[in-house]
Amino acid sequence: MKKVGVAILGLGVVGGGTYKILAEHRDFYKKNHNLDIVVESVLERNIARAEALGVEASKIAGGMAEICSNPDVDIIIEVMGGVEPAKTFVLAALNAGKSVVTSNKELFCKYSFELEKAAKKNNCGLFYEASCVGGVPIIRALTDNLQGNKITSMIGIINGTTNYILTKMSCGGAAYSDVLKEAQKLGYAEADPTSDVEGYDAAYKLSILSSMAFHTKIPYTDIYREGITSVSSSDIFYGKQLGYALKLLAIGKNGANGIEARVHPAFIRAEHPLASVNDSFNAVYLTGDCVGEVMLYGRGAGAAPTASAIVGDVIYCATHSNYVYSAFNNTEKADPSVKFVTNFESAYYLRIAAKDKAGVLSKVTSVLSKNGISMERVVQEKDGVEGAVPLVIITHETHENSVKKAVADINATDIAKVEAVIRVVS
Amino acid sequence: MKKVGVAILGLGVVGGGTYKILAEHRDFYKKNHNLDIVVESVLERNIARAEALGVEASKIAGGMAEICSNPDVDIIIEVMGGVEPAKTFVLAALNAGKSVVTSNKELFCKYSFELEKAAKKNNCGLFYEASCVGGVPIIRALTDNLQGNKITSMIGIINGTTNYILTKMSCGGAAYSDVLKEAQKLGYAEADPTSDVEGYDAAYKLSILSSMAFHTKIPYTDIYREGITSVSSSDIFYGKQLGYALKLLAIGKNGANGIEARVHPAFIRAEHPLASVNDSFNAVYLTGDCVGEVMLYGRGAGAAPTASAIVGDVIYCATHSNYVYSAFNNTEKADPSVKFVTNFESAYYLRIAAKDKAGVLSKVTSVLSKNGISMERVVQEKDGVEGAVPLVIITHETHENSVKKAVADINATDIAKVEAVIRVVS
């Protein structure tokens, strides 16, 4: 039986969950994987927290140097989150010859170039399945299963907090701010929800996943990002009537014109498998030129699902020779040859407040038409406030810039104002 | 750049698809995986078929011995199907020191014990992602992602032919035999459809997948198997009214009482993610004690999706050191300590033809009650044929043997006959 010593950096929600699972499953891993996985050390300033988990005092490290020089530690699990001190610690671990398993999407997204270099130099493993979409086996699917495909499209619901909020808004018709408060109470959203609700978290993950899918670095700074803070429940309602579900989507496309990478709220047809991914569930829907459509679905966050991915990486690391696999051409910045498409094609949902019934529809359609936009559906709602009549339009596929121009043109008229623009994924 | 020589055994649908993908993607694999994958040899008796694919005459092997002694061949892809001569060829390949990638579920299900032994002895890779559920990345998810979990349940739609047939029956109300004929015309079902429609194909796959999930050999001979040939479209109709979809499910459970492994038609609630897996799509829905629920969805058959899995294994094999990973305790037969649960728990759908309206419901419920079965719903349909009134009952969870006994008891009365018994998955 092979003995595997691990150290856990940070005993927060995920770190604590990982500690518990490793302790409770020790015999299971002995029996089924011929591995005796032992937590040899933890790095946690909150001693009470470590003790509450049952960590022996002798295993609470005084600092990172102690862990790096501990010959009983083979694999270091980094679950601290954030860039520093996680980055310094991971580099120290790799330079000390320890393999690293991390759930840190922000760190990996921003510094994978540096981390991979250090891992290669020291011939250490560097595993990050837990960094994206929790327990959903997406990283290894990209590296070890679908790697024979040219992936043309990747659409993901990869943030649990926003999906929970949008699901609740969709079911109950409550306003964003009320649902956010409820989500914070239940622990589904953090006290400072910015990273989730503004789409940063999804953009970090999309950066990692699309880099792997398209075999070239997609920095998160090249990802168009728009959060859910200005989503109104009336748009969710109107969309539902038209057969759409509203989701915060992370979209990566690799086509003839270049690469698109964007995170924004979008309507998706109710029949699409992603439309019924609800609450805190996540899913990634991929299209490959050989495999066709594949969807991976599961819990994208939470202690145990994330720990499942971490422990999977630990067992993988312990049972395979120490190698570093570059899943993509991991340059520091985007390769200069990569063309990012910002004027992408999409259908659009427009909600327009029309001040005056007579003639307004013809005026609006004329503006759209001048911008080369044709309409698939138009619904003129009965109810309006303060004399404004809501006009809901679904366009055919058009270009982002054409819609921006058309919206400006409509707003420049004195009879109509565009109050919501939401992309529609076909 | 590493040069990788492969040989393909059999240029049928999957073999031909694999050949084409390897040829068309050669530059893509060079660029993104630093591998020059070259088909060095093919084994195909039908020379015209090989020529039509563009295989050079010099690459068409005269026999297996020629391939085994070809130093340019590193990996042998077996896509012949069936047990012989595939088994002899795969063993010859392994004994000649070649790694093997196979899509052959029947061979792997029946002889993985022998094949793994030979692979280990010769330190060769043996990969079989393509053997189960085509392009859906289920094998590696079990070995390399979810291996830290105790998997408690696995429910799969893992046969494309039967799912296509049941979807069509569900949409159009057509009879099984008519839809089968149509499926045969379209190439979705084989001329002899036995393996698919009687559930053998699904049982082979469930044997492999449940062995991996539960870390112990589940021989296909220990799997309860029931096909779809006696499914009637009226049951699909009644089920639909009650909020269920009918699917051929492959079910594996690992609980306190032992292991269940069964393939049979079953109703599943319309809200369940598996219920909307339609046509030739497949999916596996897993529950692990850490990860919770995970679903992997995609095309379970067809040339390109299966080739996607094969090529994924080829690239994996070429980029990793040659190791043989036993995903489960691969004994020849089931371990004597394993307890198979045959008297499993389930809810049931019963369709009963009642000869006489008055008193029949009370008689039937009394028989059910005597057998410890309680009812969740009862629907007495208006329309009947030849004086028989259809009575549809959904029971609460009960035991298989109790239902068998109750059915016999009902049939022993002179006023009612059970015409359909379909398990209901909650």
Side-chain angles (χ1 to χ4, degrees):
Chain A
M1 176 148 336
K2 186 174 174 183
K3 196 240 150 201
V4 183
V6 304
I8 304 179
L9 311 185
L11 289 179
V13 174
V14 174
T18 304
Y19 183 88
K20 273 207 266 184
I21 284 167
L22 287 175
E24 287 165 11
H25 289 61
R26 187 167 167 190
D27 288 340
F28 180 75
Y29 301 148
K30 279 187 187 174
K31 187 180 168 208
N32 294 301
H33 299 293
N34 207 30
L35 297 175
D36 187 14
I37 307 177
V38 182
V39 180
E40 292 289 356
S41 191
V42 302
L43 192 69
E44 173 58 57
R45 265 191 270 182
N46 186 337
I47 304 294
R49 188 186 267 174
E51 284 174 347
L53 280 164
V55 182
E56 295 161 47
S58 66
K59 303 231 162 160
I60 304 174
M64 194 57 200
E66 189 185 320
I67 293 178
C68 287
S69 62
N70 186 341
D72 291 335
V73 172
D74 306 298
I75 300 169
I76 292 178
I77 299 169
E78 186 274 303
V79 278
M80 311 175 77
V83 169
E84 283 298 352
K87 186 185 165 205
T88 302
F89 289 178
V90 167
L91 287 172
L94 294 169
N95 288 325
K98 314 289 189 192
S99 287
V100 169
V101 170
T102 178
S103 65
N104 194 330
K105 70 213 94 168
E106 186 180 353
L107 174 64
F108 197 80
C109 157
K110 292 182 178 169
Y111 295 100
S112 65
F113 173 68
E114 229 173 294
L115 305 185
E116 272 199 9
K117 225 163 72 175
K120 276 182 190 164
K121 197 182 93 191
N122 298 288
N123 191 33
C124 293
L126 175 62
F127 299 95
Y128 47 98
E129 179 70 69
S131 71
C132 292
V133 213
V136 178
I138 179 68
I139 299 276
R140 203 149 279 134
L142 288 168
T143 56
D144 295 350
N145 282 285
L146 306 173
Q147 79 280 44
N149 286 262
K150 295 179 189 169
I151 307 274
T152 52
S153 162
M154 165 186 276
I155 308 181
I157 296 173
I158 58 179
N159 178 270
T161 305
T162 49
N163 204 44
Y164 175 85
I165 292 173
L166 293 175
T167 304
K168 290 294 155 200
M169 285 176 75
S170 169
C171 294
Y176 166 75
S177 54
D178 295 335
V179 179
L180 173 62
K181 271 179 216 152
E182 191 201 321
Q184 285 171 319
K185 251 191 225 164
L186 292 167
Y188 286 127
E190 297 192 41
D192 175 1
T194 311
S195 176
D196 291 316
V197 300
E198 294 292 4
Y200 288 99
D201 176 86
Y204 295 152
K205 293 171 188 163
L206 180 62
S207 161
I208 299 171
L209 296 176
S210 60
S211 295
M212 299 178 73
F214 306 146
H215 301 283
T216 191
K217 179 67 156 259
I218 313 292
Y220 81 101
T221 44
D222 285 306
I223 294 175
Y224 174 85
R225 185 188 45 74
E226 193 183 308
I228 64 161
T229 54
S230 57
V231 163
S232 92
S233 48
S234 61
D235 289 316
I236 294 180
F237 172 79
Y238 291 140
K240 220 171 171 179
Q241 305 283 97
L242 296 168
Y244 295 104
L246 188 75
K247 298 289 176 188
L248 180 71
L249 296 185
I251 299 173
K253 290 192 181 181
N254 191 9
N257 299 325
I259 288 176
E260 290 172 36
R262 43 194 170 105
V263 170
H264 54 68
F267 280 121
I268 191 157
R269 286 215 63 79
E271 304 81 52
H272 194 286
L274 284 172
S276 37
V277 175
N278 287 322
D279 299 314
S280 62
F281 275 97
N282 279 192
V284 180
Y285 193 88
L286 291 161
T287 309
D289 69 338
C290 307
V291 76
E293 294 145 306
V294 168
M295 186 172 83
L296 309 179
Y297 164 97
R299 296 220 175 258
T306 309
S308 166
I310 289 168
V311 174
D313 273 353
V314 168
I315 296 175
Y316 188 89
C317 181
T319 49
H320 291 67
S321 56
N322 249 15
Y323 75 103
V324 190
Y325 180 72
S326 281
F328 53 95
N329 185 17
N330 198 354
T331 47
E332 196 170 355
K333 294 177 180 180
D335 189 283
S337 70
V338 171
K339 205 181 147 201
F340 287 100
V341 180
T342 51
N343 185 24
F344 49 80
E345 285 180 51
S346 179
Y348 288 78
Y349 161 102
L350 304 175
R351 178 167 52 81
I352 298 167
K355 280 191 191 152
D356 172 37
K357 261 185 186 175
V360 73
L361 185 59
S362 95
K363 179 74 188 164
V364 165
T365 55
S366 139
V367 171
L368 292 175
S369 169
K370 269 184 200 152
N371 285 285
I373 300 169
S374 63
M375 299 185 299
E376 191 195 293
R377 289 168 86 176
V378 184
V379 181
Q380 189 164 314
E381 294 291 333
K382 280 177 199 161
D383 306 322
V385 280
E386 296 167 16
V389 178
L391 192 67
V392 171
I393 292 171
I394 305 283
T395 74
H396 282 124
E397 289 265 311
T398 175
H399 285 90
E400 176 80 2
N401 291 350
S402 309
V403 171
K404 280 185 182 153
K405 175 73 168 46
V407 168
D409 290 352
I410 291 170
N411 288 345
T413 69
D414 54 357
I415 54 165
K417 192 174 170 300
V418 179
E419 297 199 316
V421 180
I422 299 174
R423 296 165 193 95
V424 177
V425 170
S426 56
Chain B
M1 178 148 338
K2 185 175 175 182
K3 194 239 151 203
V4 183
V6 303
I8 303 178
L9 312 185
L11 291 178
V13 174
V14 174
T18 304
Y19 183 88
K20 273 208 265 186
I21 283 167
L22 287 174
E24 287 164 10
H25 290 61
R26 188 169 166 189
D27 288 340
F28 180 75
Y29 301 147
K30 279 187 188 172
K31 186 179 168 210
N32 294 301
H33 299 293
N34 207 29
L35 296 175
D36 187 15
I37 306 177
V38 183
V39 180
E40 291 289 354
S41 190
V42 302
L43 192 70
E44 173 58 56
R45 266 190 270 181
N46 185 337
I47 304 294
R49 187 186 270 174
E51 285 174 346
L53 280 165
V55 182
E56 295 161 46
S58 65
K59 303 232 165 163
I60 304 174
M64 194 56 200
E66 190 184 319
I67 293 178
C68 286
S69 63
N70 185 340
D72 291 336
V73 172
D74 306 297
I75 299 169
I76 292 179
I77 298 169
E78 186 273 304
V79 278
M80 311 175 77
V83 170
E84 283 297 352
K87 186 184 164 204
T88 302
F89 289 178
V90 167
L91 287 172
L94 293 169
N95 287 326
K98 314 289 190 192
S99 287
V100 169
V101 170
T102 178
S103 65
N104 193 329
K105 69 214 94 167
E106 186 180 355
L107 174 64
F108 196 80
C109 157
K110 292 181 178 170
Y111 295 100
S112 64
F113 173 69
E114 231 172 294
L115 304 185
E116 273 199 8
K117 225 162 75 174
K120 277 181 188 166
K121 198 182 94 194
N122 298 290
N123 191 32
C124 293
L126 175 62
F127 299 94
Y128 48 97
E129 179 70 68
S131 70
C132 291
V133 212
V136 178
I138 178 68
I139 299 277
R140 204 150 278 136
L142 287 169
T143 56
D144 295 350
N145 282 286
L146 306 174
Q147 79 280 44
N149 286 262
K150 294 178 188 170
I151 307 272
T152 52
S153 163
M154 165 187 277
I155 307 181
I157 296 173
I158 56 179
N159 178 270
T161 305
T162 49
N163 204 43
Y164 175 85
I165 292 173
L166 293 175
T167 303
K168 291 292 156 203
M169 286 175 75
S170 169
C171 295
Y176 165 76
S177 54
D178 295 335
V179 179
L180 173 63
K181 270 179 217 150
E182 192 201 321
Q184 284 170 321
K185 252 191 224 162
L186 293 167
Y188 287 126
E190 297 192 42
D192 175 0
T194 311
S195 177
D196 290 317
V197 300
E198 295 291 4
Y200 289 99
D201 175 86
Y204 295 152
K205 292 171 187 163
L206 180 61
S207 161
I208 298 172
L209 296 176
S210 60
S211 296
M212 298 177 73
F214 306 145
H215 301 282
T216 191
K217 179 67 155 260
I218 312 291
Y220 81 101
T221 44
D222 285 306
I223 294 175
Y224 174 84
R225 185 189 45 73
E226 193 183 309
I228 64 161
T229 53
S230 58
V231 163
S232 94
S233 47
S234 60
D235 289 316
I236 294 180
F237 172 80
Y238 292 139
K240 220 172 172 178
Q241 305 284 97
L242 295 167
Y244 295 104
L246 190 75
K247 299 289 178 186
L248 181 69
L249 296 184
I251 299 173
K253 290 191 180 180
N254 191 10
N257 299 323
I259 287 175
E260 289 172 37
R262 44 194 170 103
V263 170
H264 54 67
F267 280 120
I268 192 158
R269 287 214 62 80
E271 302 83 53
H272 194 286
L274 284 172
S276 37
V277 175
N278 287 322
D279 300 315
S280 63
F281 275 97
N282 278 192
V284 180
Y285 192 89
L286 290 161
T287 309
D289 69 338
C290 309
V291 78
E293 293 146 305
V294 168
M295 186 171 84
L296 309 178
Y297 165 96
R299 296 219 175 258
T306 308
S308 165
I310 290 168
V311 174
D313 273 352
V314 168
I315 296 174
Y316 188 90
C317 181
T319 48
H320 291 66
S321 56
N322 248 15
Y323 76 103
V324 189
Y325 180 73
S326 281
F328 53 94
N329 185 17
N330 198 353
T331 46
E332 196 171 355
K333 295 179 179 177
D335 188 284
S337 71
V338 171
K339 205 182 146 199
F340 287 101
V341 179
T342 51
N343 185 25
F344 49 80
E345 284 180 51
S346 178
Y348 288 78
Y349 160 102
L350 303 174
R351 179 167 51 81
I352 298 168
K355 282 193 187 148
D356 172 38
K357 260 185 189 176
V360 72
L361 185 57
S362 96
K363 180 73 187 166
V364 164
T365 54
S366 141
V367 171
L368 291 175
S369 169
K370 270 183 202 153
N371 284 284
I373 300 168
S374 64
M375 300 186 298
E376 190 195 293
R377 287 168 86 175
V378 184
V379 180
Q380 190 165 312
E381 294 290 334
K382 281 179 199 160
D383 304 325
V385 282
E386 296 169 15
V389 178
L391 192 65
V392 170
I393 293 171
I394 306 282
T395 74
H396 282 124
E397 290 265 310
T398 175
H399 285 90
E400 175 81 3
N401 290 351
S402 308
V403 171
K404 279 186 182 153
K405 175 71 168 46
V407 168
D409 289 353
I410 292 169
N411 288 343
T413 70
D414 54 355
I415 55 165
K417 195 176 169 296
V418 179
E419 296 197 319
V421 180
I422 299 174
R423 294 165 196 95
V424 177
V425 171
S426 57

